[in-house]
């Protein structure tokens, strides 16, 4: 049994971490960190935890926390984890960071897109990008894991096999993504009020969304060269879920059999990635509340393009579920422990 601490336990991703870890047979939560609710009982913040969690919320003192637990999850805004992490802490405890602080390997790119100074760039090279299906062996050896973003998880896993196998022309890739409102976090924002979101859909962060360089960096590794693409996110009136629809021109020798074979090559043995049957398009409802990624594709022979599609729950595979999956690998547990969640339907 290992002990876990969560900094940012009262945000949406933090709340999902609590939900998942309470059902993990190898983990005991010892620290419910929340700067906004110090000394308030956790169930008073999330009433669904009544009679399940009686602990009070604590502060974000990572140094004190490192003496009490084996793993720390930081479900916090950009910049906080980087401001707290130190070699002394990493010598005692493993960290899974759900923010973007250690996802990008170029500190200049991070500071350009996130508009803040990185406070611990010395750990960027060491941090492992925690997309388990692609970096499983590195995650197993890591003491600091950068948990991928929600849009990036869905976008990368949807496109990766075709990029890796050279079945598309990378310079033609366009990614259109749609997310539920929980992806924006639990903080009060005018744009996320019910009357603003209900009966509405909009694009945002057009050409400027912060997940763009993360997608480019990881697909660039797959392609073996620098990658540049268009990524446009949209906000849709639902609680959770991400749907990615990506478009690219086919390479000359790519056909349906080759594309299907590429998906099976990389994902055929993956528990959490489900390659759907021919002509079945992913839906967010089919993955809601689960750690699954549903992917599929369709070739448009008229335009010689392929349409790649993927769906995840942004709070599970896009955040907390993937963080638990990473923790499982880091501590030698079964990768699926605590995560065999049947999707909610309807």
């Amino acid at each position: 049994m290992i002990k876990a601490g969560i900094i940012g336990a009262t945000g949406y991703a933090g709340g999902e971490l609590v939900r998942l870890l309470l059902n993990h047979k190898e983990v005991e939560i010892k620290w419910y960190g929340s700067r906004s609710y110090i000394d308030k009982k956790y169930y008073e913040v999330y009433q669904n935890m009544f009679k399940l969690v009686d602990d009070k919320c604590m502060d974000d003192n990572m140094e004190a926390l490192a003496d009490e637990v084996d793993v720390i999850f930081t479900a916090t805004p950009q910049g906080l984890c980087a401001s707290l992490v130190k070699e002394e802490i990493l010598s005692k405890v493993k960290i899974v960071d759900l923010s973007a602080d250690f996802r990008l390997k170029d500190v200049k790119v991070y500071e350009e897109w996130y508009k803040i100074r990185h406070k611990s760039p010395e750990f960027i090279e060491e941090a492992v990008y925690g997309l388990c299906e692609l970096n499983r062996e590195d995650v197993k050896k890591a003491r600091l894991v950068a948990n991928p973003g929600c849009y990036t998880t869905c976008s990368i896993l949807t496109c990766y096999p075709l990029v890796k196998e050279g079945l598309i022309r990378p310079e033609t890739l366009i990614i259109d993504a749609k997310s539920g409102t929980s992806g924006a976090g639990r903080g009060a924002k005018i744009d996320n009020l019910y009357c603003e979101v209900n009966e509405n859909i909009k694009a945002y962060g057009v050409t400027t969304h912060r997940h763009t360089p993360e997608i480019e960096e990881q697909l660039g590794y797959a392609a073996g060269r620098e990658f540049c693409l268009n990524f446009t996110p949209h906000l849709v009136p639902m609680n959770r879920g991400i749907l990615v629809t990506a478009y690219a021109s086919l390479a000359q020798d790519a056909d349906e059999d080759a594309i299907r074979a590429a998906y099976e090559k990389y994902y055929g043995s993956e528990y959490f990635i489900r390659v759907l049957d021919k002509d079945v398009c992913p839906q967010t409802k089919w993955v809601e509340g689960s750690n699954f990624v549903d992917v599929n594709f369709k070739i448009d022979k008229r335009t010689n393009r392929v349409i790649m599609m993927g769906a995840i729950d942004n709070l599970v595979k896009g955040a907390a579920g993937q963080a638990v999956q990473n923790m499982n690998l880091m501590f030698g547990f079964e990768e699926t422990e605590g995560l065999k969640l049947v999707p909610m339907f309807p």
Side-chain angles (χ1 to χ4, degrees):
M1 181 74 72
I2 67 167
K3 298 175 182 178
I6 304 170
I7 297 177
T10 55
Y12 286 141
E16 283 291 274
L17 274 169
V18 173
R19 180 176 74 89
L20 298 175
L21 292 176
L22 286 178
N23 289 293
H24 197 295
K25 67 182 181 181
E26 303 288 351
V27 177
E28 178 186 5
I29 305 174
K30 298 294 291 185
W31 188 294
Y32 296 80
S34 176
R35 184 179 291 179
S36 300
Y37 297 98
I38 294 173
D39 291 332
K40 193 178 184 72
K41 287 201 171 184
Y42 189 76
Y43 75 77
E44 293 178 318
V45 181
Y46 283 113
Q47 192 66 30
N48 60 316
M49 292 297 169
F50 182 55
K51 290 194 174 182
L52 297 174
V53 179
D54 200 48
D55 299 67
K56 290 183 177 180
C57 295
M58 304 175 73
D59 60 19
D60 55 13
N61 187 335
M62 188 179 281
E63 291 186 10
L65 177 54
D67 290 327
E68 296 191 21
V69 300
D70 304 293
V71 60
I72 298 173
F73 296 94
T74 51
T76 57
Q78 277 53 256
L80 183 62
C81 184
S83 71
L84 297 176
V85 68
K86 300 176 183 177
E87 177 59 36
E88 180 183 359
I89 292 171
L90 282 174
S91 68
K92 300 177 183 178
V93 68
K94 298 177 188 285
I95 295 176
V96 180
D97 179 28
L98 280 73
S99 81
D101 285 356
F102 298 99
R103 294 175 189 163
L104 296 166
K105 290 303 181 185
D106 189 331
V107 68
K108 292 181 180 178
V109 173
Y110 171 88
E111 292 177 346
E112 176 185 351
W113 285 81
Y114 286 90
K115 310 302 181 188
I116 57 175
R117 184 176 66 84
H118 201 293
K119 295 183 179 179
S120 54
E122 66 271 23
F123 296 113
I124 289 177
E125 188 59 36
E126 175 185 349
V128 173
Y129 189 75
L131 197 50
C132 304
E133 288 77 13
L134 306 187
N135 298 324
R136 181 171 285 114
E137 296 307 312
D138 289 334
V139 171
K140 289 178 180 179
K141 298 176 287 186
R143 58 178 188 166
L144 174 60
V145 164
N147 210 61
C150 51
Y151 277 127
T152 55
T153 293
C154 198
S155 298
I156 294 166
L157 292 177
T158 298
C159 302
Y160 179 85
L162 306 196
V163 173
K164 183 71 173 177
E165 292 296 304
L167 295 173
I168 60 173
R169 291 167 48 201
E171 70 278 4
T172 68
L173 182 61
I174 297 172
I175 298 176
D176 176 293
K178 298 173 179 65
S179 174
T181 58
S182 60
R186 195 164 182 246
K189 306 177 185 73
I190 290 176
D191 285 349
N192 295 338
L193 294 175
Y194 178 82
C195 289
E196 304 292 330
V197 175
N198 187 46
E199 300 292 342
N200 191 29
I201 182 171
K202 67 176 182 180
Y204 67 99
V206 180
T207 75
T208 62
H209 195 277
R210 294 168 171 180
H211 284 181
T212 304
E214 192 179 333
I215 299 169
E216 290 178 340
E217 183 171 276
Q218 295 301 317
L219 290 182
Y221 295 149
R225 68 185 203 187
E226 288 191 4
F227 215 95
C228 185
L229 54 80
N230 286 118
F231 170 71
T232 305
H234 300 75
L235 182 65
V236 296
M238 61 184 186
N239 291 339
R240 55 167 86 202
I242 286 180
L243 182 72
V244 159
T245 310
Y247 308 84
S249 296
L250 290 164
Q252 288 185 344
D253 56 351
D255 59 19
E256 180 136 358
D257 289 341
I259 291 174
R260 175 68 60 177
Y263 277 108
E264 291 296 336
K265 175 180 177 180
Y266 290 99
Y267 299 152
S269 61
E270 292 292 344
Y271 180 83
F272 289 119
I273 303 183
R274 306 189 298 191
V275 181
L276 303 181
D277 293 339
K278 180 178 169 62
D279 294 330
V280 177
C281 299
Q283 297 184 26
T284 58
K285 182 61 72 175
W286 297 345
V287 296
E288 186 176 356
S290 81
N291 203 52
F292 287 117
V293 185
D294 283 1
V295 297
N296 212 345
F297 70 94
K298 186 85 173 178
I299 291 177
D300 185 345
K301 294 182 179 179
R302 187 177 63 86
T303 60
N304 195 40
R305 294 176 70 84
V306 61
I307 296 91
M308 298 155 277
M309 299 163 284
I312 66 169
D313 185 314
N314 58 291
L315 293 179
V316 188
K317 182 59 174 173
Q322 186 146 253
V324 173
Q325 192 178 350
N326 277 309
M327 180 204 68
N328 285 340
L329 290 171
M330 295 166 82
F331 286 90
F333 304 142
E334 287 293 325
E335 190 169 335
T336 58
E337 173 57 39
L339 294 172
K340 288 188 174 181
L341 309 167
V342 177
M344 297 184 293
F345 195 87

